Amino acid sequence: MVRTTSYDENGKKKGTWTPEEDRKLAAYVTKYGCWNWRQLPKHAARCGKSCRLRWMNYLRPNIKRGNYTKEEDDIILKLHAQLGNRWSTIAAHLPGRSDNEIKNHWHTSLKKRANYYAPNSSDSESKSMNEASGTRRKSVENQNAISPTNLELSSQMSPKQSSSEQLSCYTTDYQVIQEEGILMENSGSFWTEPFLVDTSFSSRSTDYVVPSIDWELVCPPSPFIGHEFLSSFDLDDYNC
DNA sequence: AATCTGAGCAACCGCACGGGT
DNA sequence: CACCCGTGCGGTTGCTCAGAT
């Protein structure tokens, strides 16, 4: 379940996330947005990849944990039969569920069910997987065809957003909950603002300017964003 | 009570893709 | 056009816990 803490060759921390790190990451994403992972490793004790994963799987607003409904299971089974192991695409159809979580759920529960319902499922699974393989990330058109919602949203999104991120980040009724002091602020259209304001943002740009948002509203001063935060995360210019 | 085993899940790793230069 | 780099995805690993023996 939890991995022992270690450090990679760049001195970046690996292993289990602490609640404190979660709070710091949440605060960072609140300020800079969930598409700006490239900037983060310059300041953070973790690599951007790790931070992105943690955000996408855990800290993201509206994320659902455990307790899959029958409807959700059915959707996963159905989509997996169609798409194979394209978890991110499947996740796009299940708001609040991450690809990683769906993948885990499949391997722990649904795989058996799929085998139970379809004795030849190994054939069908390998077939669907073969069909899916080789088309990985080349099939945005197909994804859109499968999910009209993606089409509806795509025109409003940053071009760098994947289909699953589009759905997960671009919620129309975004609500963040207060939980153990973590971030969590009902900020209405906060997640939509960076995309709307910053339509010309280039992912490779190093001089990215944070959109002019009233951060006092979005991220008010709080006990967890103080000296300790700055010292351990080295976000010297982080004046949240 | 001690040990074994499998399920569940968080997190890491490596690869492919896409955009910039 | 080729190369480089950042990002996202799927596969896999490492660890804990609960139930069985």
Side-chain angles (χ1 to χ4, degrees), chain A residues 3 31 37 43 47 83 88 102 111 176 182 204 238:
Chain A
R3 288 176 184 240
K31 181 165 185 178
W37 303 114
H43 312 287
C47 71
L83 303 169
S88 60
I102 291 171
K111 198 173 182 178
V176 192
I182 295 183
R204 309 222 10 155
Y238 196 114

Side-chain angles (χ1 to χ4, degrees), chain A residues 4 50 64 76 97 100 118 138 162 190 207 220 222 228 231:
Chain A
T4 48
S50 181
K64 284 193 242 172
I76 295 169
R97 300 292 188 184
N100 201 40
K138 283 184 178 177
S162 69
F190 164 59
D207 54 357
S222 83
E228 193 185 351
S231 60

Side-chain angles (χ1 to χ4, degrees), chain A residues 59-77:
Chain A
L59 304 176
R60 205 160 37 114
N62 297 334
I63 197 83
K64 284 193 242 172
R65 317 274 329 145
N67 296 328
Y68 278 77
T69 64
K70 188 180 179 304
E71 288 70 30
E72 287 176 314
D73 284 351
D74 289 342
I75 291 171
I76 295 169
L77 286 166

Side-chain angles (χ1 to χ4, degrees), chain A residues 3 11 31 100 107 110 124 136 138 157 162 177 186 195 202 224 238:
Chain A
R3 288 176 184 240
K31 181 165 185 178
N100 201 40
H107 285 300
L110 298 181
S124 61
R136 185 179 160 194
K138 283 184 178 177
M157 295 299 300
S162 69
I177 6 170
N186 189 343
F195 299 113
S202 161
F224 66 84
Y238 196 114

Side-chain angles (χ1 to χ4, degrees), chain A residues 141-185:
Chain A
E141 312 92 307
N142 294 340
Q143 291 178 26
N144 285 337
I146 292 161
S147 172
T149 319
N150 285 358
L151 276 177
E152 289 164 16
L153 292 176
S154 60
S155 63
Q156 308 169 41
M157 295 299 300
S158 155
K160 288 292 287 181
Q161 295 293 309
S162 69
S163 59
S164 58
E165 270 193 302
Q166 288 174 10
L167 286 175
S168 60
C169 291
Y170 208 93
T171 50
T172 52
D173 190 22
Y174 170 58
Q175 201 176 32
V176 192
I177 6 170
Q178 183 110 22
E179 192 177 80
E180 292 180 0
I182 295 183
L183 177 82
M184 312 290 162
E185 180 85 19

Side-chain angles (χ1 to χ4, degrees), chain A residues 111-150:
Chain A
K111 198 173 182 178
K112 299 168 203 162
R113 251 181 76 181
N115 289 336
Y116 176 78
Y117 285 121
N120 296 326
S121 62
S122 57
D123 292 338
S124 61
E125 179 177 338
S126 59
K127 186 185 171 208
S128 62
M129 285 178 71
N130 288 336
E131 285 169 352
S133 68
T135 62
R136 185 179 160 194
R137 265 165 275 130
K138 283 184 178 177
S139 53
V140 176
E141 312 92 307
N142 294 340
Q143 291 178 26
N144 285 337
I146 292 161
S147 172
T149 319
N150 285 358

Side-chain angles (χ1 to χ4, degrees), chain A residues 17-38:
Chain A
W17 283 72
T18 65
E20 185 65 18
E21 287 178 307
D22 283 344
R23 282 192 287 272
K24 290 166 186 171
L25 176 60
Y28 178 88
V29 177
T30 300
K31 181 165 185 178
Y32 292 106
C34 62
W35 68 97
N36 199 18
W37 303 114
R38 187 170 161 269

